[in-house]
Amino acid sequence: MSSVAKNPAPSDETSGKAAEKQPPKRIRRTADEARRLILDAAEARLARQGPEGLRLQDIARDVGISHPAILHHFENREGLVRALIARTNTQLRDSLLGALGENDASRDAADHIGHVFEALSDRGTARLLSWLLLTGRATEQSDAHNIMGEIVDALQARRTDYAKERGKPAPDKEDTLFLAMLTANAAFGEAIVGRQLAEAAGLDQDGIRRFRAWFAKLLNDHLGDKD
């Protein structure tokens, strides 16, 4: 009488190996959440490494997704760059225009300058914008070309209202434009070569912050004299 061989029960070691081979559970995310996480990771790499750090494979690994997943949301690297610039411009515009709509332009210059330097210098956006301009990737229809006009118009309107409250004539709009250009140029300059220049002059990170405060006071004094 033949006996039927029974399959031996899997050992703990075999079960452990099988469990190791199982792929990790996929985290389901909405399209908006996935795009936000990808842009967050891209912004972090941009701040650390500059435009050359925007490699899709590395960003996908940071987020814990596949390279094709990034292509699904942004099509290619250029699409990711455009989305990153658009988001940064929106954040910069909303923070600056929101502040200008609620506070006196002359009294809160330090806050405005802080927003500008944070958005353009600390996050590496100025380096990315410079790269786009130098390589011809920025277009006249992009937000990068439109945001300055919005900021100048809002700042001029606020300065005009403030001068009217004090019984003084409205400031010249070109003066407002020059203030905006000076601020943007200072933020771009710091982002590209400012850190090296500061270190060469013996300034540490606290020194850079003191420069920003000094620059804000410079603009603040000018606004007070003009308004």
Side-chain angles (χ1 to χ4, degrees):
M1 182 167 158
S2 62
S3 60
V4 179
K6 295 182 179 179
N7 293 328
S11 65
D12 292 340
E13 182 180 355
T14 304
S15 301
K17 289 182 179 179
E20 289 177 2
K21 292 181 180 179
Q22 292 179 356
K25 289 185 179 180
R26 196 180 227 176
I27 301 175
R28 294 188 176 276
R29 299 187 178 102
T30 65
D32 288 342
E33 183 182 9
R35 285 175 61 89
R36 178 182 61 78
L37 291 173
I38 293 169
L39 289 172
D40 286 346
E43 185 177 279
R45 282 196 167 268
L46 175 65
R48 293 196 308 269
Q49 302 174 346
E52 63 275 10
L54 295 179
R55 292 183 288 270
L56 299 189
Q57 293 88 343
D58 294 339
I59 294 170
R61 186 169 57 250
D62 292 344
V63 180
I65 61 176
S66 65
H67 180 200
I70 294 185
L71 298 179
H72 170 73
H73 290 288
F74 299 99
E75 296 186 358
N76 50 37
R77 183 174 183 269
E78 296 293 330
L80 176 62
V81 168
R82 287 194 300 270
L84 187 61
I85 289 294
R87 184 172 79 157
T88 302
N89 281 332
T90 298
Q91 292 171 343
L92 176 62
R93 180 177 59 242
D94 290 348
S95 62
L96 281 177
L97 299 189
L100 290 171
E102 297 173 3
N103 302 298
D104 287 337
S106 64
R107 235 179 9 215
D108 297 295
D111 290 339
H112 305 330
I113 297 303
H115 284 302
V116 172
F117 277 88
E118 178 186 355
L120 291 178
S121 181
D122 294 345
R123 296 177 187 170
T125 311
R127 294 172 65 187
L128 181 58
L129 285 171
S130 299
W131 174 70
L132 290 172
L133 291 168
L134 291 172
T135 57
R137 287 175 169 84
T139 64
E140 293 182 359
Q141 290 75 31
S142 67
D143 286 342
H145 285 264
N146 299 328
I147 188 172
M148 182 61 76
E150 290 187 50
I151 291 174
V152 169
D153 289 342
L155 180 55
Q156 176 66 14
R158 188 59 193 159
R159 292 184 72 194
T160 299
D161 290 343
Y162 186 62
K164 185 176 180 180
E165 292 172 2
R166 299 173 62 188
K168 293 189 174 184
D172 184 42
K173 187 173 182 179
E174 187 173 83
D175 183 75
T176 300
L177 172 60
F178 288 169
L179 285 171
M181 286 180 59
L182 178 61
T183 304
N185 286 334
F188 269 84
E190 182 188 292
I192 298 170
V193 297
R195 306 281 172 145
Q196 291 83 353
L197 291 176
E199 290 176 1
L203 291 177
D204 55 10
Q205 187 61 38
D206 286 337
I208 293 175
R209 282 193 285 269
R210 290 196 302 274
F211 163 74
R212 293 182 181 183
W214 173 87
F215 184 70
K217 184 178 183 303
L218 187 71
L219 296 186
N220 187 58
D221 292 343
H222 177 82
L223 287 166
D225 290 340
K226 291 289 183 179
D227 290 342

